[in-house]
């Protein structure tokens, strides 16, 4: 059973358009949420870590929000570029140290 | 310098063989992990070591045995390889064992069992 779910599984975005996708996770005993960017044939790379309800993080054109009460996080990409094409993974950890990855959202940005 | 390095990157081997994948991190981290990317592309944790001690051992066949000679190394040894062991295996590390630590991944080892 995968308690961390990401949707959509994949999406295609036109270059220049903005997009967003979600990660839902168990809200009980929540401790932290990570977003990772995973390019094909490379290793996942950390983007953000968020711990507090209402957290917002930003890195360039990519930003993320966190709602720990309802158990979801959004990742936004503004003005998508081809180099944004990757799989975006979220990982949730609880206060017991148990962590779980979602299956990822594959983003394909077409010129 | 690669922070988390694993070797070999590609490994093709026959059923029944024993093989090892090595992992080293130069980040000074206390915790190291092995993950398996399954056929559905999910990343699942297999093992976690903190300062050479096993702290997480998910439901993994006994044929898989991690070995940590020091806290900078966590090697994965697999006995009697089976077809279903074909997958990408990722080594990773983090500064401590607590929740919320950022995980740094190696580039993966593609294992194909024929």
């Amino acid at each position: 059973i995968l308690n961390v779910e990401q949707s959509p599984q994949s999406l295609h975005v036109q270059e220049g358009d903005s997009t967003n996708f979600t990660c839902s996770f168990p809200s009980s005993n929540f401790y932290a949420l990570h977003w990772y960017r995973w390019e094909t044939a490379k290793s996942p790379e950390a983007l953000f870590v968020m711990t507090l309800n209402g957290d917002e993080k930003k890195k360039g054109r990519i930003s993320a929000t966190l709602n720990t009460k309802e158990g979801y996080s959004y990742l936004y990409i503004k003005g998508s570029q081809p180099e944004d094409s990757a799989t975006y993974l979220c990982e949730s950890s609880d206060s017991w140290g148990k962590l779980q990855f979602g299956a990822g959202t594959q983003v394909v940005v077409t010129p | 310098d690669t922070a988390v390095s694993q070797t070999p990157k590609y490994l093709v081997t026959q059923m029944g063989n024993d093989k090892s994948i090595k992992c080293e991190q130069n980040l000074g981290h206390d915790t190291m992990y092995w993950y398996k990317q399954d056929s559905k592309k999910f990343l699942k944790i297999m093992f976690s070591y903190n300062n050479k001690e096993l702290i997480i051992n998910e439901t993994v066949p006994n044929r898989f045995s991690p070995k940590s000679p020091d806290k900078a190394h966590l090697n994965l040894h697999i006995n009697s390889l089976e077809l279903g062991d074909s997958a990408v295996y990722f080594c990773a590390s983090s500064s401590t064992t607590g929740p919320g630590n950022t995980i740094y991944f190696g580039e993966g080892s593609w294992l194909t069992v024929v």
Side-chain angles (χ1 to χ4, degrees), chain A residues 16-54:
Chain A
D17 288 351
S18 297
T19 189
N20 65 83
F21 38 93
T22 65
C23 170
S24 63
F25 53 87
S27 54
S28 60
N29 294 320
F30 170 83
Y31 188 90
L33 186 109
H34 281 88
W35 280 101
Y36 292 85
R37 183 171 179 275
W38 193 359
E39 288 183 69
T40 302
K42 294 185 178 180
S43 52
E45 182 183 355
L47 283 174
F48 306 115
V49 56
M50 296 180 288
T51 57
L52 298 176
N53 185 44

Side-chain angles (χ1 to χ4, degrees), chain A residues 31-32 34 36 38 43-44 46 49 89 93-94 99 101 103, chain B residues 9 35 37 42-43 90 99-103 105-107 110:
Chain A
Y31 188 90
H34 281 88
Y36 292 85
W38 193 359
S43 52
V49 56
L89 287 175
S93 53
D94 65 20
L99 56 85
F101 283 88
Chain B
K9 187 165 184 175
Y35 288 86
Q37 184 184 19
F42 295 156
L43 266 182
F90 284 91
N101 286 290
T102 297
I103 298 170
F105 288 86
E107 293 190 336
W110 273 253

Side-chain angles (χ1 to χ4, degrees), chain A residues 37-92:
Chain A
R37 183 171 179 275
W38 193 359
E39 288 183 69
T40 302
K42 294 185 178 180
S43 52
E45 182 183 355
L47 283 174
F48 306 115
V49 56
M50 296 180 288
T51 57
L52 298 176
N53 185 44
D55 258 355
E56 291 188 27
K57 293 288 177 79
K58 187 175 180 181
K59 186 176 183 179
R61 293 177 291 96
I62 301 176
S63 60
T65 61
L66 179 68
N67 183 321
T68 61
K69 293 183 179 179
E70 296 181 38
Y72 65 84
S73 174
Y74 286 113
L75 191 98
Y76 300 88
I77 304 176
K78 184 178 178 182
S80 303
Q81 298 298 308
E83 58 264 30
D84 296 328
S85 297
T87 295
Y88 292 83
L89 287 175
C90 72
E91 173 248 303
S92 172

Side-chain angles (χ1 to χ4, degrees), chain B:
Chain B
D1 279 351
T2 304
V4 181
S5 59
Q6 47 184 115
T7 55
K9 187 165 184 175
Y10 300 101
L11 180 58
V12 181
T13 187
Q14 289 188 321
M15 280 176 57
N17 283 350
D18 302 338
K19 290 293 178 185
S20 292
I21 307 172
K22 296 183 178 180
C23 179
E24 176 181 5
Q25 54 94 3
N26 62 7
L27 297 167
H29 287 167
D30 288 339
T31 304
M32 295 186 72
Y33 311 81
W34 275 106
Y35 288 86
K36 180 180 179 180
Q37 184 184 19
D38 67 18
S39 57
K40 295 183 179 179
K41 306 297 183 186
F42 295 156
L43 266 182
K44 291 185 178 177
I45 192 166
M46 300 172 68
F47 303 101
S48 172
Y49 269 70
N50 177 252
N51 279 321
K52 304 194 304 177
E53 288 190 22
L54 180 67
I55 55 171
I56 293 176
N57 183 352
E58 294 294 316
T59 307
V60 177
N62 291 337
R63 299 180 295 103
F64 290 78
S65 54
K67 288 184 171 53
S68 182
D70 55 61
K71 71 175 192 178
H73 295 83
L74 182 62
N75 304 322
L76 184 65
H77 188 76
I78 315 171
N79 290 326
S80 303
L81 278 156
E82 300 178 357
L83 293 176
D85 298 332
S86 296
V88 185
Y89 294 85
F90 284 91
C91 176
S93 71
S94 64
S95 57
T96 65
T97 59
N101 286 290
T102 297
I103 298 170
Y104 295 80
F105 288 86
E107 293 190 336
S109 293
W110 273 253
L111 172 65
T112 302
V113 182
V114 296

